[in-house]
């Protein structure tokens, strides 16, 4: 399914790309799920939700122990500083309530009578429920009729039929939650949301569905859920309210907000959203930067083909496949064979691929060498003539090998898959090694080592691509991994007397150029340094 025509609806002509900072740009509400086992705990959490900026709280009655409906609901409504949504989810719809069905529905009717602002009723029982309260429903109470699919996300046609059934059951607000098996599933939910004539909550569960919970503010969703703490979720994939408000700048999103994101797998560790959103905010740029957990990059671009999806960073393992997805590829990226930055030209929707990876890394390595040798920058690079060993032959490996060669270094590639090392060595004019041979590779002192594999990255921080005893011949060691900032490789290299350069330097360096391509504005370099210094 192509997304281009559907999103055209939203390409509001805006004279300026910049938006002012303080106003709320969308009506989408943020609801914090409250799931304590006791009313006291729930009351405390409702206070926290209010302090965090929640618009309402979802009180999950099915988690309560020793539940006394009338007394507890009265207290919860009285004590809540924000409007309340009551949910009493049965096991058959993914909740915890395992008792008599009539009693459960009676409790929902009671919450309505006692002053709840919203009641969540499952589609399966909604018609009966709505018939039973007809004429008796308090004016202020709205009924959310919900449907949950924990297996997959249906087709647009099936989702439309589902929405029609929910509406026909007497819903004031339609809610459906599906499961993302692929990030492109979310596009169908956006399509339904954006065309809905009634207030609608369309969310896609799981890590691949995360953008549904963020971009619903752009596409007109009625509400999203934001948790108080990481991992304390009422449905899989919910972000924290802090991330919604501070990281994604949720209140500032509108129909004309451009979407940027980092495409990768895994991708949750990436600090790119922190960096770019902070920078967008600092200059009032009307964009949001999200994590995009992508399995198939070609399918991703076929699906999200509208101008709304304006720019992308690209990381493991998609940098090489990304080359084929672009309409045009910059000559440097072409020779490296990998793209880490993709821009959608707004005039015709064409995709342009670039490689900004090696610039940051190579200049940080040059600086590190000059510092070690105590020399200032001359005409020739500090890398000229040096033996430069690259571990890895993927996107980052190619970029480093290409960059080092361009600076006059002699390049050696060591890779787990030897054939890929050989191929890259042939392309850049270097030598190839297998990863196993690296341990005994010591033709001279003063070599440079650059790890471009993900070995040592969180959570496997105890791993390293080369044993410590083999590090003695290196003058400088660089690690592309930047979570953690100091990897085991860097720690052992420093202990062995080498100068170390962290992946953070590469990350910041490559980000400057991407930011300028994304926004057409100069990168706020000091802000980048400051933001990343916190990590
Ligand atoms: P990629 O294209 O998928 O390449 C991955 C490379 O790592 C391949 O050479 C692969 O070897 C090797 N590899 C992966 N797991 C391995 C293992 N367990 N043992 C041995 N070798 C292994 O990925 P990429 O985009 O180049 O990224 C690689 C790393 O660099 C990631 O950790 C990424 O976060 C980091 N990075 C950092 C920055 C930065 O700004 N600091 C920028 C780009 C990338 P095979 O060929 O045998 O599969």
């Amino acid at each position: 399914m192509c997304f281009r025509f559907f999103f055209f609806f939203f390409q509001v002509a805006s004279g300026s790309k910049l938006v002012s900072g303080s106003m709320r740009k969308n009506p989408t509400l943020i609801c914090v799920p409250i799931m304590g086992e006791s009313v006291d705990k729930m009351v405390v959490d409702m206070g926290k939700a209010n302090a965090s900026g929640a618009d309402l709280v979802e009180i999950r009655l099915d988690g309560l122990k020793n539940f006394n409906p009338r007394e507890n609901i009265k207290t919860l409504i009285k004590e809540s500083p924000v409007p309340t949504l009551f949910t009493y989810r049965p096991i058959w719809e993914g909740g915890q309530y395992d008792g008599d069905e009539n009693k459960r529905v009676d409790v929902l009717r009671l919450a309505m009578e006692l002053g709840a602002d919203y009641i969540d009723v499952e589609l399966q029982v909604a018609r009966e429920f709505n018939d039973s309260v007809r004429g008796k429903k308090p004016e202020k109470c709205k009924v959310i009729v919900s449907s949950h699919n924990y297996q997959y996300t249906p087709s647009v046609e099936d989702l439309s039929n589902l929405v029609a059934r929910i509406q026909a059951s007497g819903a004031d607000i339609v809610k459906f939650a599906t499961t993302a098996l692929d990030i492109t599933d979310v596009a169908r939910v956006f399509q339904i949301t954006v065309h809905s004539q009634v207030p609608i909550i369309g969310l896609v569960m799981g890590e691949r569905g995360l953008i549904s919970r963020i971009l619903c503010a752009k596409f007109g969703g009625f509400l999203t859920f934001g948790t108080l703490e990481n991992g304390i979720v009422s449905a899989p994939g919910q972000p924290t309210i802090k991330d919604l408000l501070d990281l994604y700048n949720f209140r500032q999103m509108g129909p004309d907000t451009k979407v940027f994101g980092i495409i990768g797998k895994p991708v949750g560790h990436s600090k790119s959203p922190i960096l770019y959103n902070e920078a967008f905010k600092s200059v009032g740029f009307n964009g949001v930067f999200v994590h995009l957990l992508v399995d198939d990059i070609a399918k991703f671009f076929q699906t999200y083909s509208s101008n709304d999806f304006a720019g992308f960073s690209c990381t493991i393992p998609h940098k090489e496949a990304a080359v084929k997805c672009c309409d045009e590829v910059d000559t440097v990226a072409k020779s490296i064979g990998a793209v880490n930055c993709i821009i959608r030209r707004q005039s015709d929707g064409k995709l342009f691929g670039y490689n900004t990876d090696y610039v940051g890394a190579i200049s940080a390595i040059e600086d590190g060498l000059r510092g070690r040798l105590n020399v200032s920058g001359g005409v020739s690079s500090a890398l000229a003539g040096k033996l430069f060993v690259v571990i890895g032959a993927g996107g980052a490996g190619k970029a480093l090998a290409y960059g080092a060669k361009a600076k006059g270094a002699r390049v050696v590639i060591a890779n787990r898959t030897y054939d890929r090392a050989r191929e890259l060595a042939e392309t850049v004019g270097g030598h190839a090694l297998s990863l196993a041979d690296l341990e005994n590779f010591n033709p001279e002192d003063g070599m440079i080592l650059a790890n471009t594999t993900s070995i040592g990255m969180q959570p496997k921080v105890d791993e390293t691509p080369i044993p410590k005893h083999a590090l003695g011949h290196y003058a400088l060691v660089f690690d592309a991994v930047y979570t953690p900032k100091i990897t085991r490789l860097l720690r052992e290299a420093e202990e062995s007397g080498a100068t170390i350069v962290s992946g953070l330097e590469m990350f910041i360096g490559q980000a400057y150029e991407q930011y300028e391509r994304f926004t057409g504005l100069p990168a706020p370099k000091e802000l980048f340094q400051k933001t990343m210094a916190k990590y």
Side-chain angles (χ1 to χ4, degrees):
M1 178 199 53
C2 174
F3 223 18
R4 183 183 297 269
F5 300 109
F6 148 60
F7 276 116
F8 182 74
F9 174 76
F10 261 127
Q11 283 156 26
V12 180
S14 69
S16 157
K17 280 179 172 176
L18 304 183
V19 291
S20 75
S22 57
M23 269 159 42
R24 193 169 165 146
K25 291 278 187 314
N26 65 75
T28 306
L29 303 172
I30 301 181
C31 178
V32 170
I34 304 287
M35 297 183 302
E37 290 190 351
S38 73
V39 170
D40 288 351
K41 164 91 168 76
M42 281 185 156
V43 170
V44 170
D45 284 352
M46 290 191 307
K48 285 186 193 165
N50 182 42
S52 307
D55 296 303
L56 71 153
V57 286
E58 180 192 38
I59 297 170
R60 284 291 298 257
L61 297 173
D62 48 306
L64 267 178
K65 300 261 184 287
N66 306 320
F67 181 34
N68 177 337
R70 184 168 289 277
E71 192 188 312
N72 292 166
I73 292 173
K74 255 193 198 160
T75 308
L76 287 162
I77 291 176
K78 188 165 134 272
E79 295 295 328
S80 180
V82 289
T84 52
L85 154 62
F86 279 84
T87 301
Y88 201 13
R89 191 75 75 223
I91 279 193
W92 52 261
E93 187 79 3
Q96 295 181 51
Y97 179 81
D98 196 14
D100 179 76
E101 189 57 19
N102 290 328
K103 281 193 187 148
R104 187 182 75 85
V105 179
D106 282 346
V107 166
L108 290 175
R109 266 190 292 266
L110 179 66
M112 182 179 263
E113 274 166 35
L114 293 175
D117 298 277
Y118 303 91
I119 301 288
D120 181 308
V121 182
E122 299 72 22
L123 175 61
Q124 208 166 309
V125 295
R127 188 178 287 274
E128 204 182 319
F129 179 89
N130 284 321
D131 286 347
S132 76
V133 297
R134 186 152 301 128
K136 291 181 264 177
K137 196 173 90 170
E139 178 85 5
K140 80 159 192 174
C141 187
K142 303 281 176 245
V143 175
I144 299 175
V145 175
S146 64
S147 165
H148 299 80
N149 184 327
Y150 293 96
Q151 274 79 45
Y152 66 102
T153 300
S155 66
V156 170
E157 197 185 352
D158 287 348
L159 285 174
S160 304
N161 291 337
L162 174 66
V163 169
R165 276 198 293 133
I166 294 178
Q167 267 184 269
S169 75
D172 295 313
I173 297 157
V174 170
K175 176 185 169 191
F176 67 89
T178 62
T179 296
L181 301 179
D182 190 279
I183 193 167
T184 55
D185 293 343
V186 183
R188 301 198 288 284
V189 171
F190 287 151
Q191 185 166 1
I192 298 290
T193 307
V194 86
H195 286 121
S196 178
Q197 303 295 317
V198 289
I200 189 163
I201 304 163
L203 298 171
V204 191
M205 296 180 279
E207 197 183 347
R208 288 168 174 77
L210 177 65
I211 57 171
S212 72
R213 301 181 179 278
I214 300 163
L215 300 181
C216 55
K218 170 180 169 67
F219 295 122
F222 180 76
L223 69 72
T224 192
F225 293 94
T227 63
L228 280 180
E229 280 171 55
N230 252 329
I232 313 284
V233 298
S234 63
Q238 289 171 343
T240 61
I241 182 167
K242 188 172 183 319
D243 278 356
L244 285 173
L245 290 172
D246 298 346
L247 171 58
Y248 299 115
N249 210 7
F250 191 83
R251 303 290 193 208
Q252 296 304 304
M253 254 181 280
D256 55 346
T257 297
K258 294 293 179 195
V259 180
F260 300 84
I262 174 143
I263 294 173
K265 182 187 172 185
V267 77
H269 67 281
S270 170
K271 305 282 186 250
S272 296
I274 299 173
L275 195 69
Y276 292 112
N277 285 323
E278 194 68 29
F280 290 171
K281 212 188 303 182
S282 74
V283 295
F285 179 78
N286 191 6
V288 59
F289 195 103
V290 291
H291 289 106
L292 299 164
L293 178 55
V294 170
D295 296 279
D296 178 339
I297 189 168
K299 187 174 168 191
F300 175 85
F301 279 116
Q302 276 153 20
T303 305
Y304 294 100
S305 60
S306 88
N307 276 1
D308 287 81
F309 291 83
F312 308 89
S313 304
C314 195
T315 188
I316 198 167
H318 297 307
K319 285 184 193 180
E320 291 160 64
V323 175
K324 290 199 198 84
C325 298
C326 296
D327 296 295
E328 278 183 39
V329 175
D330 162 63
T331 45
V332 177
K334 215 180 270 173
S335 34
I336 294 172
V339 150
N340 75 318
C341 174
I342 300 171
I343 305 295
R344 189 186 304 282
R345 190 162 65 189
Q346 296 289 300
S347 57
D348 58 6
K350 285 204 163 140
L351 296 174
F352 288 77
Y354 304 91
N355 193 303
T356 69
D357 263 348
Y358 72 104
V359 185
I362 292 292
S363 53
I365 292 170
E366 285 177 320
D367 288 350
L369 275 180
R370 278 195 288 267
R372 183 182 177 90
L373 303 170
N374 208 6
V375 292
S376 53
V379 184
S380 72
S381 165
L383 281 171
K386 293 271 183 302
L387 194 60
F388 195 106
V389 179
V390 179
I391 312 177
K398 284 180 176 164
L400 264 289
Y402 177 92
K405 187 72 187 179
K407 295 287 185 175
R410 292 168 289 139
V411 177
V412 171
I413 321 287
N415 193 45
R416 177 177 61 182
T417 310
Y418 176 75
D419 282 352
R420 290 185 84 196
R422 194 176 36 75
E423 248 172 63
L424 177 55
E426 276 168 17
T427 316
V428 297
H431 293 282
L433 284 179
S434 73
L435 200 50
D437 288 341
L438 187 60
E439 187 174 342
N440 298 314
F441 181 73
N442 50 13
E444 60 191 58
D445 284 336
M447 300 186 290
I448 294 150
L449 182 69
N451 173 44
T452 69
T453 73
S454 51
I455 301 172
M457 186 167 93
Q458 274 168 4
K460 297 182 179 169
V461 294
D462 291 335
E463 294 185 356
T464 184
I466 177 170
K468 184 176 178 184
H469 69 81
L471 288 169
H473 300 278
Y474 293 95
L476 183 145
V477 175
F478 163 81
D479 199 340
V481 171
Y482 66 95
T483 49
K485 182 179 172 191
I486 301 298
T487 56
R488 176 174 164 194
L489 171 65
L490 291 186
R491 200 176 58 243
E492 293 182 347
E494 196 166 37
E495 286 163 7
S496 308
T499 297
I500 59 168
V501 175
S502 92
L504 211 55
E505 313 269 355
M506 174 178 184
F507 179 73
I508 293 175
Q510 57 83 27
Y512 291 152
E513 204 178 318
Q514 293 209 41
Y515 179 87
E516 295 181 4
R517 292 192 186 279
F518 289 155
T519 63
L521 302 168
K525 296 190 175 179
E526 272 179 28
L527 180 78
F528 273 25
Q529 297 281 1
K530 227 168 76 191
T531 307
M532 293 319 293
K534 293 182 204 154
Y535 298 93

